[in-house]
Amino acid sequence: MVLVILVVIGHSTYYDIITHFGGIKYGMLMKEAGIQDTIFHKFVNEITNYIYTFHMPVFISLSGSLFALGKKINMRALIAKKAKRLLIPFFVVWLFWNIPIKYFSGYYDNVNIGKMIEQMIFPSCVYLWYLECLFFVFIIVYLICKFNEKTQIVVVFLCWIIGVIIYRKYSQYHFLGDPLYYVFWFYLGYKIESIITWCKSKKVWNDLFAGCLILSTLVLFLISSVLQFKILGAVCRYIVNPFFALVAMNYCARKSKNSLVQCACSDYSLGIYLYAEPLNYWLLYVFYNWKGITFFGTEIGALIIYFSRLIITPIIAIGITRILKKLKIKYLY
């Protein structure tokens, strides 16, 4: 649930989304009108930049951890199970929630239906990429695990190297969500028990250790940002911060395992993920047409816009999830 909250925070900051399949340009409209960005928005945007150094690899790793604990099944059963859990919500939510809201919010201005559908294959800057990517990651790792452990490590590492190159080179065309890049993090989650066992053997599996890991991710992010170290920033984003956050969040999750709050939040985490994000486009559209672009350039305006997105989007998503639960519509919450 913590990771879902971080996703909501991250999605509450952007003013510009530029892709070959549509987008929004409120930040660019501000510049064209000679309006400076606010101190508040710059601050929360840096928070988002920090979150983005680790949250999606950790998300993928969590699935790897659960995969390791799950019942072993054959390829056909795996594909069927994950298609129901991942591809059904991907297609249904994309077509009947994501596209309509973005269309009426101006995201798809001058974009034909073909481009809207094509974006499903190249889900750049679209939150549902995670479901598509994860489906293929499950299949790839399943096949990799047929090899011996040493070969597994080599293949996973090669997949990651190729994935990083593709990820950086074709930033506007993330084919199927870049599964090769995330195979590494899924596999790391799959092997997390070995890492935890090592930490326990060194007697560092405690609150101080977890806190230091999270603090380290923040310090590294600040150093690379302030000093503009591109190499350090890349290392933090692709290696160090995701790994530190993965270990720390595993510690926190195991410590608070089965708490009432955690169980209650988990019931709605997928629903928040599926239905909250597109509402950001609608809210930005509403504020732009109601108050104009100058509102975005005032501190009070930026604050109102941010907290409206942060609070309203998950509340509506929870409401939708509750309705779907009552109707017992499978795989969509």
Side-chain angles (χ1 to χ4, degrees):
M1 185 61 190
V2 172
L3 291 171
V4 172
I5 292 172
L6 293 179
V7 169
V8 173
I9 292 172
H11 289 163
S12 298
T13 58
Y14 57 75
Y15 285 168
D16 291 320
I17 295 290
I18 311 298
T19 77
H20 293 294
F21 309 97
I24 55 172
K25 303 177 180 179
Y26 297 105
M28 293 176 66
L29 289 174
M30 289 173 65
K31 288 183 179 179
E32 291 173 2
I35 300 170
Q36 296 292 320
D37 196 7
T38 62
I39 295 173
F40 175 79
H41 184 253
K42 288 179 180 178
F43 174 71
V44 294
N45 199 53
E46 285 304 311
I47 293 175
T48 294
N49 290 337
Y50 166 62
I51 291 171
Y52 279 11
T53 63
F54 63 82
H55 81 307
M56 290 318 301
V58 176
F59 237 132
I60 295 285
S61 297
L62 177 61
S63 296
S65 302
L66 297 175
F67 186 54
L69 298 174
K71 180 181 178 181
K72 303 302 179 184
I73 55 178
N74 59 41
M75 173 65 86
R76 181 179 295 181
L78 176 68
I79 292 175
K81 180 180 179 182
K82 296 307 173 185
K84 292 175 182 177
R85 200 73 187 101
L86 298 171
L87 294 187
I88 288 178
F90 172 76
F91 284 109
V92 173
V93 175
W94 190 299
L95 294 173
F96 299 104
W97 180 252
N98 179 61
I99 285 182
I101 291 179
K102 288 183 177 179
Y103 178 81
F104 289 109
S105 300
Y107 181 100
Y108 288 121
D109 283 351
N110 302 315
V111 175
N112 61 42
I113 188 65
K115 277 288 186 180
M116 298 180 197
I117 301 301
E118 186 182 347
Q119 193 180 27
M120 299 174 75
I121 303 171
F122 302 99
S124 173
C125 299
V126 183
Y127 74 114
L128 289 171
W129 70 266
Y130 169 75
L131 299 177
E132 183 179 21
C133 173
L134 187 57
F135 173 79
F136 291 103
V137 168
F138 267 109
I139 296 173
I140 294 170
V141 173
Y142 179 89
L143 294 173
I144 289 174
C145 288
K146 296 293 184 181
F147 300 114
N148 62 62
E149 190 162 354
K150 288 184 178 179
T151 304
Q152 289 176 23
I153 294 171
V154 172
V155 174
V156 166
F157 186 71
L158 287 175
C159 285
W160 181 71
I161 292 295
I162 295 170
V164 169
I165 293 171
I166 295 174
Y167 184 90
R168 292 182 64 85
K169 186 174 179 60
Y170 302 102
S171 59
Q172 287 293 317
Y173 293 96
H174 295 304
F175 182 62
L176 303 178
D178 290 327
L180 288 179
Y181 169 63
Y182 288 101
V183 160
F184 173 80
W185 295 106
F186 186 97
Y187 186 79
L188 196 61
Y190 183 75
K191 293 293 186 179
I192 193 67
E193 290 300 328
S194 300
I195 298 171
I196 292 172
T197 299
W198 183 87
C199 291
K200 289 180 177 179
S201 70
K202 300 300 180 181
K203 302 187 186 303
V204 295
W205 191 247
N206 51 45
D207 293 354
L208 179 61
F209 175 64
C212 286
L213 288 178
I214 294 298
L215 181 61
S216 296
T217 65
L218 179 58
V219 170
L220 288 170
F221 169 75
L222 291 174
I223 291 174
S224 61
S225 298
V226 173
L227 300 181
Q228 297 294 307
F229 284 167
K230 291 186 177 180
I231 295 178
L232 178 59
V235 170
C236 292
R237 188 179 187 90
Y238 296 116
I239 303 174
V240 180
N241 281 14
F243 178 71
F244 282 3
L246 170 63
V247 177
M249 289 189 181
N250 263 274
Y251 172 80
C252 296
R254 289 163 191 251
K255 187 174 182 181
S256 60
K257 189 176 181 180
N258 297 325
S259 70
L260 291 176
V261 174
Q262 186 180 29
C263 292
C265 291
S266 296
D267 288 342
Y268 294 97
S269 59
L270 180 59
I272 293 172
Y273 174 78
L274 290 175
Y275 303 109
E277 200 270 351
L279 294 168
N280 282 284
Y281 300 94
W282 168 67
L283 284 170
L284 287 170
Y285 179 80
V286 168
F287 279 114
Y288 174 68
N289 285 277
W290 178 35
K291 290 290 188 178
I293 198 63
T294 55
F295 190 64
F296 287 69
T298 64
E299 296 294 340
I300 187 65
L303 188 146
I304 291 173
I305 292 170
Y306 176 77
F307 281 104
S308 295
R309 297 166 73 183
L310 187 65
I311 297 169
I312 293 174
T313 59
I315 287 176
I316 294 176
I318 289 171
I320 294 170
T321 304
R322 287 178 65 87
I323 293 171
L324 293 173
K325 282 178 178 288
K326 288 183 178 180
L327 295 175
K328 297 181 179 180
I329 300 177
K330 290 184 177 180
Y331 312 122
L332 297 182
Y333 57 84

